[in-house]
């Protein structure tokens, strides 16, 4: 009896914590020989100079500081702690990256997928497969091996989503603590250079709607909630977000503005907005492989501005428009169909992480994840009410993290949220594995009967035909986008 109890306890521990430690070890082994976490990325190299000079009289004015305090913390704390302990300057930062990846791949994404799809419990072996898939897909984008805000930002985003879900369920932790934690996480996402701001607003709406619905539901119960208790919880939530955002504003005033006043050239958010909205009209994708030009964007600028596209793009930094968002909206209003096409191209590239070099393996996995993730979500939607459930807001939050990618040039590290969600929805649900079981049973029947008749006796699945057509379409689509580079590169698909 004791052995059985010990064995069960051991298995419970493995199921609960095993995937987290597995993910941690995977990235630890990968980073063991990675050397310095700077040197390849301009962002990492620039902010590292600020970190090592931050406690001196001559602070290096990194251009990354425009992103706020999260561009430098907690990297600065980890760097100083490592020096105080006599460790390598990057040792604790590498540990931090390993912890972030372990949370994202073993806890963050699986929990979100479980709640969106209504999975009762994620199977451990599927989470392990997801960890390996995410590592394989994300490793080429440098977020593991370069000190950038993208991996921490992804973790903060998933913490916010899971905190929002935790607010909606009863638990041992008091509602005040859960609301406070959700508020702090929402505040962090409001401080990440704008990429997560639209998603944070959607999560804010999600929590407010839940709070109102929970109050209305409690009216029919014996233990009725006080409206003041509900308002108090919402107030704690807003206060938590305001504290974090307030510190970000303080950092801007006390650090970034001081450097600017001393002559440092740190571009403002308005300049970066103008660059993203107008300066990237000529590029579909940049960095990490072949650059893809956006001839449609150039045609729009040439048609709208008398001075021409090249002059507009060249002048964005020196003389940004006073209202870049209004200027960009004018273009969208004048060329709506063209912009829809451009957004579709960018979104498609964002969820097709091929490592930058037309990799058939990576594209096959990505396209399959899109297909499986979509049908796994769709099979849960049986009525209009199901579609407009609160989960649609969470899906919308994931999509809105790509708002910047859709108006800017695509970098795969900006799309890790949606890539991770699609892979999670594909690997953690039953559809893929049930399909494999049917195939294996059919093969076993063929061997048992020593005939191919069992194959012909199976019902034809329209899903497989749609899947094949979908794959062909996706490969044709991505090839067409790359084909715009025929004058610059000799590009072919590679394994």
């Amino acid at each position: 009896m004791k052995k059985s109890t010990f064995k069960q306890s051991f298995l419970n521990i493995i199921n609960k914590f095993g995937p987290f430690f597995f993910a941690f070890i995977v990235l630890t082994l990968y980073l063991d020989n990675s050397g310095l976490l700077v040197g390849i990325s301009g962002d990492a190299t620039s902010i590292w100079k600020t970190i090592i000079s931050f406690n001196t009289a001559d602070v290096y004015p990194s251009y990354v500081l425009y992103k706020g305090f999260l561009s430098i913390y907690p990297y600065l704390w980890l760097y100083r702690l490592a020096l105080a302990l006599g460790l390598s300057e990057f040792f604790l930062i590498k540990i931090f990256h390993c912890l972030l990846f372990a949370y994202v791949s073993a806890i963050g994404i699986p929990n979100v997928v479980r709640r969106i799809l209504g999975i009762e419990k994620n199977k451990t072996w599927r989470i392990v497969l997801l960890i390996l898939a995410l590592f394989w897909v994300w490793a080429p984008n440098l977020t593991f091996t370069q000190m950038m805000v993208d991996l921490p930002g992804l973790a903060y985003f998933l913490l916010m989503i899971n905190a929002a879900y935790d607010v909606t369920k009863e638990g041992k932790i008091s509602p005040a603590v859960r609301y406070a934690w959700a508020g702090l996480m929402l505040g962090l996402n409001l401080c990440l250079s704008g990429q997560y701001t639209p998603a944070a607003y959607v999560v804010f709406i999600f929590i407010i709607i839940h709070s109102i619905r929970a109050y209305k539901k409690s009216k029919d119960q014996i233990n009725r909630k006080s409206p003041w208790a509900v308002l108090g919880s919402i107030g704690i939530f807003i206060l938590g977000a305001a504290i974090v955002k307030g510190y970000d504003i303080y950092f801007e005033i006390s650090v970034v503005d001081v450097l600017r006043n001393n002559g440092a050239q740190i571009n403002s958010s308005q300049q970066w907005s103008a660059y993203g909205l107008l300066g990237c009209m000529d590029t579909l994708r940049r960095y990490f492989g072949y650059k893809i030009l956006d001839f449609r964007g150039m045609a729009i600028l040439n048609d709208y501005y008398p001075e021409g596209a090249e002059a507009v793009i060249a002048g964005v930094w020196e003389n940004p428009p006073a209202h870049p968002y209004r200027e960009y909206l004018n273009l969208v209003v004048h060329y709506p169909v063209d912009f829809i096409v451009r957004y579709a191209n960018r979104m498609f590239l964002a969820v097709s992480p091929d490592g930058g070099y037309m990799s058939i393996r990576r594209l096959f996995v990505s396209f399959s994840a899109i297909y499986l993730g979509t049908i796994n979500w769709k099979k849960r939607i049986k009525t209009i009410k199901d579609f407009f459930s609160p989960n649609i807001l969470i899906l919308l939050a994931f999509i809105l993290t790509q708002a910047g990618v859709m108006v800017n040039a695509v970098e795969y590290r900006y799309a890790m949220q949606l890539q991770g969600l699609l892979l999670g929805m594909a690997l953690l649900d039953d559809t893929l594995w049930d399909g494999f079981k049917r195939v294996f049973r059919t093969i076993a029947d063929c061997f048992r009967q020593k005939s191919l008749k069992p194959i012909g006796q199976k019902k034809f699945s329209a899903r497989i035909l749609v899947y094949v057509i979908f794959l062909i379409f996706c490969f044709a689509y991505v090839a067409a986008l790359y084909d715009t580079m025929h004058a610059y590169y000799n590009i072919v698909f590679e394994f």
Side-chain angles (χ1 to χ4, degrees):
M1 183 67 180
K2 289 183 178 179
K3 287 185 178 180
S4 177
T5 304
F6 174 79
K7 181 180 178 180
Q8 188 60 45
S9 299
F10 178 75
L11 290 175
N12 289 338
I13 292 173
I14 292 296
N15 288 332
K16 191 170 184 179
F17 301 106
F20 181 89
F21 288 115
F22 176 76
F24 183 89
I25 292 170
V26 166
L27 196 59
T28 299
L29 295 174
Y30 182 68
L31 293 180
D32 185 46
N33 297 314
S34 64
L36 305 180
L37 298 186
V38 296
I40 300 176
S41 163
D43 285 8
T45 302
S46 179
I47 199 64
W48 179 244
K49 293 178 181 178
T50 300
I51 288 172
I52 61 179
S53 65
F54 200 74
N55 58 347
T56 68
D58 187 21
V59 179
Y60 180 80
S62 170
Y63 68 87
V64 185
L65 286 171
Y66 85 94
K67 295 184 178 182
F69 80 97
L70 291 175
S71 64
I72 193 170
Y73 300 116
Y75 289 124
L76 176 61
W77 301 330
L78 295 171
Y79 163 69
R80 290 181 176 177
L81 180 60
L83 293 184
L85 296 175
L87 301 171
S88 167
E89 55 191 359
F90 287 104
F91 179 80
L92 293 181
I93 294 175
K94 288 183 179 181
I95 296 296
F96 179 56
H97 275 202
C98 293
L99 290 172
L100 291 175
F101 175 68
Y103 168 75
V104 166
S105 60
I107 299 175
I109 290 175
N111 280 352
V112 172
V113 171
R114 178 175 60 81
R115 284 158 163 166
I116 288 178
L117 296 183
I119 299 172
E120 185 175 341
K121 184 179 180 181
N122 286 320
K123 296 183 179 180
T124 302
W125 65 270
R126 293 184 187 179
I127 297 177
V128 170
L129 281 178
L130 176 63
I131 291 167
L132 294 174
L134 292 174
F135 172 78
W136 180 66
V137 169
W138 290 343
N141 68 24
L142 304 181
T143 52
F144 298 149
T145 55
Q146 293 291 287
M147 194 178 61
M148 300 181 290
V149 299
D150 303 283
L151 184 58
L154 172 61
Y156 302 151
F157 171 71
L158 291 171
L159 282 167
M160 176 182 68
I161 298 296
N162 280 295
Y165 271 123
D166 289 339
V167 164
T168 66
K169 67 177 186 179
E170 297 296 330
K172 296 179 181 179
I173 301 175
S174 71
V177 173
R178 285 185 276 132
Y179 272 92
W181 175 247
L184 291 172
M185 291 303 101
L186 186 136
L188 282 179
N189 282 266
L190 291 173
C191 303
L192 285 165
S193 71
Q195 180 183 3
Y196 294 96
T197 300
Y201 288 144
V202 170
V203 171
F204 176 81
I205 295 171
F206 174 87
I207 291 178
I208 296 300
I209 289 176
H210 159 73
S211 301
I212 295 173
R213 290 175 65 180
Y215 170 68
K216 288 183 176 179
K217 185 179 178 181
S218 72
K219 286 184 174 181
D220 301 326
Q221 299 173 351
I222 297 175
N223 298 320
R224 195 166 101 181
K225 288 185 178 180
S226 165
W228 296 110
V230 176
L231 290 174
S233 296
I234 295 175
I236 291 172
F237 169 62
I238 295 174
L239 179 63
I243 289 173
V244 179
K245 185 60 180 177
Y247 180 77
D248 192 54
I249 295 172
Y250 170 76
F251 179 85
E252 178 83 14
I253 295 171
S254 62
V255 176
V256 184
D257 285 347
V258 170
L259 291 172
R260 286 183 180 134
N261 293 336
N262 291 334
Q265 294 296 318
I266 303 175
N267 294 313
S268 65
S269 58
Q270 183 182 10
Q271 288 174 302
W272 280 105
S273 297
Y275 171 70
L277 295 170
L278 300 176
C280 292
M281 289 284 286
D282 64 333
T283 309
L284 280 172
R285 197 186 72 183
R286 62 189 178 195
Y287 312 133
F288 300 111
Y290 303 111
K291 177 180 177 181
I292 303 178
L293 297 183
D294 185 358
F295 297 110
R296 186 178 299 275
M298 293 291 282
I300 290 171
L301 294 181
N302 280 322
D303 187 65
Y304 189 79
Y305 293 99
E307 62 269 36
E310 293 183 2
V312 172
I313 293 172
V316 166
W317 284 118
E318 291 76 13
N319 187 28
H323 304 286
Y325 289 99
R326 186 186 302 171
E327 193 84 5
Y328 183 79
L329 185 59
N330 285 336
L331 292 176
V332 175
V333 170
H334 279 81
Y335 309 95
V337 176
D338 294 273
F339 273 92
I340 290 173
V341 173
R342 296 176 73 248
Y343 295 153
N345 288 340
R346 280 164 168 73
M347 181 63 81
F348 181 76
L349 285 171
V351 296
S352 308
D354 60 353
Y357 299 101
M358 295 283 280
S359 168
I360 289 180
R361 289 176 299 171
R362 295 182 186 279
L363 289 172
F364 174 79
V365 170
S366 302
F367 298 153
S368 299
I370 294 170
Y371 180 79
L372 284 168
T374 302
I375 64 172
N376 285 338
W377 176 69
K378 181 179 177 295
K379 71 182 183 182
R380 265 79 177 182
I381 308 301
K382 302 187 184 303
T383 64
I384 293 177
K385 184 179 179 180
D386 292 336
F387 180 83
F388 287 104
S389 69
N391 274 332
I392 197 66
L393 290 174
I394 300 301
L395 286 172
L396 180 61
F398 273 87
I399 293 171
L400 286 178
T401 62
Q402 305 311 302
V405 173
M406 291 172 67
V407 302
N408 204 325
V410 175
E411 288 190 47
Y412 290 139
R413 60 195 175 101
Y414 296 157
M416 294 167 69
Q417 312 78 18
L418 208 51
Q419 295 163 7
L421 179 67
L422 289 169
L423 278 169
M425 293 173 72
L427 292 176
L428 298 178
D429 199 45
D430 293 331
T431 301
L432 175 63
W433 311 113
D434 288 346
F436 280 139
K437 287 179 183 177
R438 288 193 292 271
V439 170
F440 291 146
R441 279 199 298 266
T442 301
I443 293 174
D445 290 341
C446 289
F447 277 105
R448 187 167 50 253
Q449 299 179 25
K450 297 180 180 180
S451 169
L452 296 177
K453 286 184 179 180
I455 297 177
Q457 293 170 351
K458 295 294 179 182
K459 287 185 177 181
F460 177 76
S461 174
R463 243 182 213 179
I464 295 177
L465 178 61
V466 173
Y467 171 59
V468 172
I469 294 173
F470 178 76
L471 282 181
I472 293 172
F473 168 79
C474 288
F475 274 106
Y477 191 177
V478 76
L481 292 175
Y482 273 96
D483 200 41
T484 60
M485 289 287 86
H486 69 278
Y488 300 90
Y489 304 106
N490 183 19
I491 304 174
V492 294
F493 284 110
E494 60 179 41
F495 283 95

